[in-house]
Amino acid sequence: MDLSHIINHLGEDREQYFESVSPPLMQSSNFCFSSVAAMREAWPREFDSPLYSRGVNPTVSILRKKIAALEGAEDALVFSSGSGAIAAAVLSQVKAGDHLVCVEMPYSWSDKLIRNTLSQYGVEYTMVDGRSVAAIEAAIRENTTLILLESPLSMTFELQDLRAVGALARKRGITTLVDNSYSSPLYQRPLEMGIDIVAHSASKYLSGHSDLVAGVLAGSKALIRPIMQTEFMTFGACIAPNDAWLILRGLRTLPLRMERASSNGLAVAEFLEQHPRVERVSYPFLKSNPQYELAKSQMQGAGGMMAVWLKADSIQEVELFCDALKRFLMAVSWGGYESLILPICAWYADENTGTSAQPWNLIRLYAGLEEEEVLLEDLQQALEAMG
Ligand SMILES: *Cc1c(COP(=O)(O)O)cnc(C)c1O
């Protein structure tokens, strides 16, 4: 992959816009025609050239080309959110009477899509422990049309064997969809491992600056084109040209940002793992990870996200740690420049009363782009503050 060519040049027709280095922002909903003949001729190309921006917008088209190339795909679509992208892809692959297999504990709104929305339309599902290829295989039925994966999982970071599941699904004629947000296209390329469709929340690494919400899909033309002509156009979760432009800008530094988040991520994971107030750390590239070999075989990097289970006797101790952190912001989301924590105890009224499937001593931590020493020092003082 010629990474810098994709990021710096691909899809940018500079001679069409005054040789400007940065592409113009086509902030237009609409594109006009000089004659009836020209308009008549445009209809059949509605999905290929600018007509109305819910479908094709030139600024968004540049981004589509870059995302497709980064994932090694024939085509890509850009949506107004990652959830919108995932919902469109899932809905394109199931109808009433079909069955889908999904990895257990996926991103919360993927989970709700399957359990709450699809079940209302007669789509059956089985949630399985994704660490076991055998469990995934055993869940497949006659009417299974889709296997939905998320590797690593976005709360506790267990992996699925993408090559094995891809091969298994191809043999049975089942479509596979992977949420690849954790790794970005730089550190995991599922299509090359036999997966059919890749989804990302572009709100995370792809845009990288915590200033917009967006999503993408990438895959073969045969899969992406029907999604565009149906779910993409009817649900209308299209991205605003301004947000697409910001993602183009974010992509320019994606390799540098991924490198920094990864080196900080590993340093923080190794530091926390040896600390007496930490029970366990889940980070794909820690040698203690039971799936370390699999992680190394299908990912080229592990970014900044991890799960940390504190050794604490009470929620209050966890709160002392969280509230003492000065350089980690407390928030959802991740993948930006800033380090973050998401304390699961925020879903608990007390140790015995919670609405999360995860335990109250779990903290999801994202190491951002700060200096490594700054992050380690902040964690050290916050762990001491636990008492
Ligand atoms: C954030 C996230 C999503 C949802 O994306 P939005 O852009 O917030 O809609 C999906 N999957 C994963 C793994 C995420 O982290």
Side-chain angles (χ1 to χ4, degrees):
M1 171 167 54
D2 188 344
L3 187 57
S4 62
H5 171 73
I6 295 172
I7 288 178
N8 293 2
H9 305 298
L10 182 78
E12 302 188 49
D13 296 322
R14 295 196 169 99
E15 65 281 7
Q16 283 196 38
Y17 28 80
F18 308 101
E19 301 291 349
S20 75
V21 168
S22 169
L25 165 54
M26 295 284 182
Q27 187 72 45
S28 186
S29 60
N30 219 356
F31 299 86
C32 58
F33 302 93
S34 55
S35 67
V36 174
M39 193 172 203
R40 184 181 292 125
E41 200 203 317
W43 290 123
R45 292 183 287 106
E46 180 183 6
F47 300 111
D48 297 307
S49 52
L51 189 148
Y52 184 61
S53 281
R54 177 154 39 79
V56 174
N57 171 282
T59 304
V60 179
S61 295
I62 300 172
L63 180 57
R64 286 177 59 190
K65 287 183 189 139
K66 289 187 196 286
I67 297 290
L70 287 172
E71 284 291 358
E74 288 173 358
D75 202 357
L77 287 171
V78 185
F79 295 75
S80 57
S81 74
S83 289
I86 292 167
V90 169
L91 280 154
S92 75
Q93 297 302 314
V94 295
K95 59 183 186 321
D98 286 347
H99 171 258
L100 68 86
V101 175
C102 181
V103 61
E104 248 165 28
M105 304 254 203
Y107 178 70
S108 54
W109 294 101
S110 301
D111 195 66
K112 289 183 175 89
L113 168 72
I114 294 166
R115 287 182 200 274
N116 302 349
T117 307
L118 289 183
S119 61
Q120 290 184 315
Y121 296 95
V123 177
E124 300 175 326
Y125 63 88
T126 309
M127 300 274 185
V128 294
D129 182 342
R131 289 171 297 185
S132 162
V133 178
I136 292 172
E137 183 160 26
I140 293 173
R141 301 185 196 161
E142 280 288 287
N143 57 341
T144 304
T145 57
L146 174 67
I147 301 177
L148 177 52
L149 305 173
E150 182 181 306
S151 185
L153 286 168
S154 55
M155 190 59 79
T156 47
F157 312 107
E158 290 88 1
L159 279 69
Q160 299 108 58
D161 185 330
L162 298 183
R163 290 187 184 88
V165 179
L168 170 73
R170 290 243 159 118
K171 229 171 34 202
R172 308 276 198 108
I174 299 168
T175 305
T176 46
L177 166 60
V178 173
D179 182 334
N180 198 30
S181 306
Y182 180 92
S183 307
S184 90
L186 300 193
Y187 289 166
Q188 182 164 272
R189 310 231 305 161
L191 301 180
E192 290 173 358
M193 293 188 271
I195 298 297
D196 298 314
I197 308 175
V198 171
H200 288 272
S201 168
S203 325
K204 315 296 168 48
Y205 286 131
L206 294 178
S207 60
H209 293 74
S210 303
D211 51 9
L212 62 89
V213 173
V216 305
L217 295 177
S220 66
K221 277 197 194 308
L223 283 165
I224 295 296
R225 186 71 171 206
I227 296 175
M228 184 176 193
Q229 294 181 359
T230 310
E231 291 79 15
F232 182 76
M233 291 303 286
T234 54
F235 300 146
C238 60
I239 192 171
N242 185 58
D243 284 347
W245 191 91
L246 284 170
I247 299 176
L248 285 170
R249 181 159 79 169
L251 284 181
R252 312 289 190 194
T253 54
L254 180 65
L256 287 172
R257 291 186 289 104
M258 292 306 297
E259 252 179 65
R260 180 68 165 236
S262 298
S263 64
N264 278 348
L266 184 62
V268 166
E270 285 176 343
F271 167 78
L272 288 173
E273 184 175 47
Q274 54 72 43
H275 197 282
R277 296 305 307 252
V278 173
E279 188 178 286
R280 186 161 83 85
V281 177
S282 175
Y283 180 74
F285 275 21
L286 272 182
K287 293 222 172 64
S288 59
N289 175 15
Q291 293 181 299
Y292 178 74
E293 293 304 326
L294 177 61
K296 284 280 179 178
S297 79
Q298 63 187 23
M299 298 164 68
Q300 287 75 55
M305 276 245 285
M306 66 199 74
V308 184
W309 290 263
L310 291 177
K311 245 184 225 148
D313 294 324
S314 64
I315 285 183
Q316 204 211 342
E317 281 182 22
V318 177
E319 285 186 34
L320 283 171
F321 168 78
C322 295
D323 294 351
L325 285 169
K326 295 185 175 70
R327 305 300 285 260
F328 289 76
L329 300 178
M330 200 182 300
V332 299
S333 195
W334 52 275
Y337 49 89
E338 75 291 9
S339 289
L340 298 168
I341 54 157
L342 178 63
I344 294 298
C345 65
W347 279 266
Y348 281 78
D350 59 54
E351 283 79 359
N352 302 311
T353 324
T355 55
S356 173
Q358 304 292 347
W360 52 261
N361 65 332
L362 173 62
I363 291 166
R364 191 183 72 182
L365 185 150
Y366 168 68
L369 311 184
E370 298 88 343
E371 300 81 2
E372 180 185 311
E373 318 80 71
V374 165
L375 299 182
L376 298 185
E377 271 167 35
D378 196 29
L379 289 165
Q380 175 70 39
Q381 64 82 22
L383 286 162
E384 281 163 15
M386 289 174 76

